[in-house]
Amino acid sequence: MRPFERPSFQNWFRPALRLAALLAAIGFAAAPQARDLQPWKSADHALVVDAYELNTIDWEAMLTDKRIAGFISKASDGLPESYSCVGDHGGDTFAHCKTMWRKYAVSRELFQTRRMVAKAHGLLWGAYHLARPGNPIDQANHFLDYAEPRADELMVLDLEGMDTEKYMSLEDAAIFAGHIKTRTGRYPMLYTNHSTAKYIADHRAEHPILSRLPLWYARYQPGIRAVFPMGNWDAYALWQFSASSNCGKRRCPYRVAGTLSDIDVNVAPGNAQALKAAWATGALLPAKPLPLDADATATAQAGVNARPAPALPLLIPDPIPTASIPNPHLALR
């Protein structure tokens, strides 16, 4: 090429094609995988709706969306309510205690009705437990008594964050998951946000059960390729990409017919057939080898089987709660 000569398109494009083909042949991706960048825009990816008791749903309208393959409903929330409203009920008045029981009775009836309608129309069904502080075995039993999960139904542990004054601790979450396995023969899926998932992935040696539960990943961004918390997870089992936090009247990642902007929408990494095959298996993911840092590698090469404990990272609180917690201003009174 002579100095300052502009290369022709053909002279530039052919070598570029050869380079791209070579990179693909040796395993380098030139672009993010489709499942990592707005997969909900592709008809090849199944969608799942999840809801709590206050979501308004016009089932006839929603069922016109043939991409929706599953429905996950909130079931239990923390520990069961007291069966007695006599005397002081945790600071509540007698009237408020009765109101909570009416709400509980209505929510259970709604849960059963939703299950009947969803399964009658061929949707996969699942239920989640909102994990709170308190005895994890009692909470697991409460979830199973409430949801009465069948063999073809998904079970989910909803862990909203790492503030142990508001949510179940990671240690108790592992006990909860283990008790579900003991009683049903299956583990639940783990629903959580990015920072909690990343912490579990980074400390998977300390959390051998949680880090191997299939991950329902809550993150309201168009792409996750550069941030997904790998660890034992190669990919999400579900990705909650749309909720009241990023869906409004003007703009929304995906609008579900028959619902308002507060409905949660999730995308699967594959089509409806693949989703059904993996839906209720309840198995732990394979454990991957832990990476060794440079000092540990040198120590291992010297014949000493020891590795210094990794330093705990500084935790940054999530800017918003994940969408499974309803707006307190909309709570039933």
Side-chain angles (χ1 to χ4, degrees), residues 20 125 144 156:
W125 176 262
L144 295 177
V156 182

Side-chain angles (χ1 to χ4, degrees), residues 261-296:
S261 59
D262 63 343
I263 198 73
D264 298 345
V265 192
N266 311 270
V267 65
N271 59 24
Q273 185 176 0
L275 179 66
K276 183 177 181 179
W279 184 254
T281 54
L284 292 179
L285 301 174
K288 293 183 180 179
L290 294 170
L292 296 177
D293 56 31
D295 292 339

Side-chain angles (χ1 to χ4, degrees), residues 53-54 93 95-104 106 327-333:
E53 62 269 19
L54 298 181
T93 63
H96 184 259
C97 178
K98 288 291 188 182
T99 299
M100 293 304 295
W101 264 108
R102 285 195 296 271
K103 177 183 175 183
Y104 176 78
V106 169
N327 187 331
H329 300 295
L330 299 178
L332 294 177
R333 302 183 185 278

